[in-house]
Amino acid sequence: MARIAVFNQKGGVGKTTTALNLGAALARLDRSVLLIDLDPQAHLSSIHGQALGNVAASTFAFYRDNTPLAALEIDWTGVGRLIPAHAELIRVDSVFGKGPNILNRLNQGLNDLSAITPESERTVIIDCCPFLGVLSLNAVFAAERLLIPVASDFLSLRGAMQMEKTLTAIEPVLKRRVGRSYLMTRFDRRRNMSFEIQRRMREHFGEDLCETVISENVAVAEAPSVNLDIFSHAETSRGAQDYAALLDEMTGKGFL
Ligand SMILES: Nc1ncnc2c1ncn2[C@@H]1O[C@H](COP(=O)(O)OP(=O)(O)OP(=O)(O)O)[C@@H](O)[C@H]1O
Ligand SMILES: [Mg+2]
């Protein structure tokens, strides 16, 4: 089992897309998956289609009411299980931000959950929001590894450098080096810029940069509009091949 947090402070780089499609790639191999939506935007939950709107059945209830994570899981056909988000999550920082042990809250919740569903039996993937606050720190503290999508443009490259600085600043509090895998997304082979950014990413992040790149792919962009992951929507698409390759790489490296 693994706990992976898909995180980047930069918005719109492919976090939700990657959380969903990596989860779906695992599910295709009959691996058990739990997706946790930890973003007040609730994009992942909106792709599920029926998961929105009930605060008491969302990750916010975990923070506000101490509802155990086990009680919040719902089915997601073809993907596994989901704990949905709610817009109210935006209040976690202001309401619970200074509470005791707040940074370890999700870690503790997942430890409790693993007593019910052993973690040896499934992979937990956390979809984070695009800013660093209590929610994202909770994910970083709970995760064994961060998967950091980086879109193939210059501002995203800068964002990735900023991410590395942020992680270096967090690690003394965390008291461990959190393993990270940077993943290039929206890679367009027709553009020299994509290769230039890849070269710089390799120079900067070395082994922490995934070999796999996720191509710019229309089927990947369309799939959420029909509430599907890429494998259910377009099994033979470039996007499906890329996410299958990402899973191969992560498994091959022992990260999953
Ligand atoms: N490989 C891809 N090819 C084409 N479109 C993509 C690809 N990956 C993501 N997108 C599109 O880019 C947009 C942003 O992706 P996504 O929502 O996954 O990013 P995010 O990092 O989760 O954003 P946020 O920071 O707002 O949570 C979406 O419209 C998504 O469909
Ligand atoms: Mg997102």
Side-chain angles (χ1 to χ4, degrees):
M1 127 86 202
R3 280 186 206 169
I4 305 275
V6 186
F7 179 47
N8 191 333
Q9 290 159 277
K10 182 153 182 6
V13 291
K15 293 181 288 295
T16 300
T17 304
T18 296
L20 171 61
N21 291 324
L22 182 62
L26 278 158
R28 274 174 79 235
L29 303 183
D30 288 330
R31 301 266 299 269
S32 179
V33 176
L34 170 64
L35 296 177
I36 299 181
D37 192 346
L38 212 59
D39 183 356
Q41 298 180 102
H43 287 158
L44 184 62
S45 309
S46 76
I47 298 172
H48 177 280
Q50 293 136 34
L52 282 179
N54 185 357
V55 186
S58 75
T59 36
F60 187 63
F62 168 71
Y63 288 96
R64 185 188 62 182
D65 311 328
N66 284 315
T67 307
L69 293 173
L72 298 170
E73 288 184 22
I74 59 172
D75 281 330
W76 193 339
T77 308
V79 180
R81 307 272 280 169
L82 169 72
I83 301 183
H86 188 278
E88 286 282 294
L89 265 181
I90 199 79
R91 292 174 47 216
V92 166
D93 265 90
S94 58
V95 180
F96 308 105
K98 294 186 178 66
N101 299 323
I102 185 67
L103 295 183
N104 254 316
R105 197 63 206 288
L106 183 64
N107 189 34
Q108 190 55 53
L110 284 169
N111 290 344
D112 296 345
L113 180 62
S114 71
I116 298 163
T117 308
E119 296 195 336
S120 53
E121 289 171 19
R122 72 173 170 181
T123 302
V124 177
I125 302 176
I126 306 164
D127 183 26
C128 297
C129 55
F131 48 83
L132 189 72
V134 169
L135 289 171
S136 299
L137 284 170
N138 261 228
V140 174
F141 273 58
E144 285 160 8
R145 172 161 292 273
L146 301 183
L147 181 55
I148 305 170
V150 181
S152 305
D153 60 70
F154 280 103
L155 291 181
S156 296
L157 173 66
R158 272 189 207 154
M161 312 267 180
Q162 186 55 48
M163 258 314 298
E164 191 62 29
K165 282 189 189 146
T166 301
L167 293 175
T168 309
I170 292 172
E171 277 164 354
V173 187
L174 195 59
K175 298 191 179 74
R176 65 180 164 99
R177 183 183 192 273
V178 60
R180 49 257 211 187
S181 300
Y182 289 86
L183 171 69
M184 293 195 65
T185 61
R186 309 202 67 161
F187 194 93
D188 187 342
R189 285 175 175 74
R190 294 165 307 178
R191 290 186 181 172
N192 289 336
M193 181 179 76
S194 293
F195 293 97
E196 174 58 17
I197 288 170
Q198 186 180 37
R199 189 188 64 72
R200 293 209 204 172
M201 291 279 293
R202 177 71 62 206
E203 205 174 272
H204 210 81
F205 299 112
E207 296 280 287
D208 285 343
L209 177 65
C210 293
E211 298 290 335
T212 306
V213 298
I214 307 297
S215 309
E216 176 73 24
N217 180 249
V218 68
V220 169
E222 279 169 359
S225 71
V226 283
N227 301 104
L228 292 174
D229 65 83
I230 189 60
F231 299 98
S232 307
H233 177 60
E235 203 183 355
T236 57
S237 64
R238 181 81 209 210
Q241 290 167 29
D242 290 346
Y243 277 106
L246 174 64
L247 175 58
D248 273 355
E249 180 176 348
M250 299 281 286
T251 309
K253 288 178 170 169
F255 299 156
L256 282 173

